[in-house]
Every structure is written in structure tokens, then in C-alpha cells.
Amino acid sequence: MPSFMNTLGAVSRRGQWRFRHVFRSADPAGRLDITDAGLIDFLAASDVVLTVTPRAPMWRELWCWSSIGCCASDAPPVLSASLSTGTLVVSNPGLVEALFPAGSLLAIPPGLYDVRVSVTIGLETAEIFDEPIEFA
């Protein structure tokens, strides 16, 4: 998949990678609320976690979607950051940021990966972001 099809684009494994995303909620009509009132407030979150996992091969995704249920990649994360460990920063409202310093991506093979962000509030955890990225 070419990097222009990836929301997050391509990142060189030789440099640093800064994940920075502004999270917005939907308006009553279901569209993205681009006003300042639409920024998600993470104050109630006990944790926000970013994980990067290898992307499942295309044949597996097609097979999973044609089967009952869907099987996501069960590979362990190659990178992670979280609010609880201090490796991820939340600037309220709406901004989630993690910095992976230069050299931290060198051990990761080039290819496509899935970046996911999940939020825990109380006893519930929900995934709020799932986008591909290419490490080149």
C-alpha cells in the first residue's frame, strides 16, 4: 500500500517519530465537530494507550471479513506509549502526543503497521483511533 493511502503517511525508521493527533467528537448529525466545543476532553480518562502492531497480510484481512467475526492481528505491539507510564502526553482538550526518539524504530522491520489509541474511563476501555502507518 503506498504511503499516500496511509493517514499517518510514512516515517523513517532512522529518525524520531512524533505521534500528534487532535481528537474531535461528532456533532448531533454524526459529522465531525470542528468547533472548539468538539474537542474530546480526556480529564475523566484513567489511561490513554497508543500501540503499534504489525499489519495483518491482505489475504488474512479478506479471509477474516468473509468469515464469521473478524480476526485482528494478534501480534504483540512493537511500540507503545501510555498516559499511566508517562510516555504519552494528553493536552486537554483533545490533543494526544507521544514521542519515539531517534534510534527507537531501528529494530522494527520496514512495512505497514496499525496505530491504535484506546481510552480507559472507569472499568471500560474503548478504541478511538485505528490508522495505518508505514515505517520505511
Side-chain angles (χ1 to χ4, degrees):
M1 176 184 302
S3 63
F4 66 85
M5 295 179 75
N6 300 338
T7 302
L8 299 175
V11 173
S12 170
R13 295 178 310 114
R14 291 181 206 84
Q16 74 175 12
W17 173 46
R18 180 182 305 271
F19 173 87
R20 186 171 197 219
H21 189 78
V22 176
F23 287 92
R24 297 182 180 279
S25 59
D27 65 13
R31 294 182 303 258
L32 191 64
D33 185 347
I34 58 171
T35 69
D36 286 346
L39 295 172
I40 294 176
D41 184 3
F42 291 104
L43 284 177
S46 58
D47 206 2
V48 179
V49 177
L50 176 143
T51 58
V52 178
T53 55
R55 178 155 263 233
M58 183 61 91
W59 65 266
R60 183 175 178 195
E61 288 181 22
L62 294 173
W63 177 81
C64 290
W65 284 109
S66 65
S67 302
I68 297 173
C70 179
C71 50
S73 173
D74 16 351
V78 295
L79 286 174
S80 64
S82 70
L83 184 61
S84 62
T85 62
T87 54
L88 182 135
V89 176
V90 174
S91 301
N92 267 317
L95 181 65
V96 173
E97 188 170 10
L99 176 66
F100 298 94
S104 63
L105 304 176
L106 285 174
I108 299 172
L112 287 176
Y113 292 83
D114 288 317
V115 178
R116 294 184 178 94
V117 176
S118 59
V119 175
T120 301
I121 298 175
L123 298 175
E124 296 198 23
T125 300
E127 186 176 278
I128 61 170
F129 185 84
D130 182 358
E131 295 292 332
I133 191 167
E134 179 183 4
F135 289 136

